[in-house]
Amino acid sequence: MEKKLNWNFIYKLENISILIVLIILCFGKNVWYDESFSISLMDEKVLEIIGYTASDVHPPFYYLYLKLFSALFGTSIFVLHLASVIPFMGLLLLFGSSIKKQYGANWAVVS
């Protein structure tokens, strides 16, 4: 008798594994250039952030989000890295569950 893969379990395990890896990476003390740019912008006033990003290719939402997140939870490197992990995991779960609903758990794992 052939045993079938439990794709729902694999999908959940995959998401938990990604979350664990990303949280572990948040403990790193390295700051890349683009992160240092974001950190420097979050210290500015809201209108200045919008003004600086008006000439940039990136929309100001992330910088405003980072400013709010750091005001609520602090400015440690861990917290600033975590500020990027939360929306990433939210989007991963949103799109993964949409794919899972339309095409099945096996395609959600692959995507």
Side-chain angles (χ1 to χ4, degrees):
M1 178 188 215
E2 187 176 318
K3 190 172 183 176
K4 293 179 95 177
L5 287 174
N6 185 344
W7 288 104
N8 285 320
F9 174 75
I10 294 171
Y11 172 72
K12 291 174 185 174
L13 182 65
E14 178 184 49
N15 285 323
I16 291 169
S17 300
I18 291 169
L19 180 61
I20 289 170
V21 168
L22 290 174
I23 289 176
I24 289 170
L25 291 174
C26 284
F27 286 101
K29 299 294 181 193
N30 295 336
V31 176
W32 295 353
Y33 175 76
D34 60 334
E35 292 174 322
S36 64
F37 179 75
S38 300
I39 291 168
S40 68
L41 269 184
M42 78 173 189
D43 291 333
E44 303 294 333
K45 295 178 181 169
V46 171
L47 291 177
E48 291 175 358
I49 292 173
I50 293 170
Y52 288 143
T53 58
S55 61
D56 192 12
V57 295
H58 299 96
F61 177 75
Y62 176 74
Y63 305 114
L64 298 173
Y65 162 73
L66 189 62
K67 183 172 184 66
L68 175 66
F69 198 86
S70 65
L72 294 173
F73 301 108
T75 58
S76 71
I77 298 300
F78 174 78
V79 169
L80 297 176
H81 285 161
L82 189 62
S84 294
V85 168
I86 292 171
F88 175 78
M89 283 306 298
L91 288 173
L92 183 71
L93 293 173
L94 177 71
F95 292 121
S97 62
S98 175
I99 291 169
K100 181 180 169 189
K101 190 180 295 183
Q102 288 184 340
Y103 303 105
N106 54 335
W107 286 106
V109 169
V110 174
S111 67

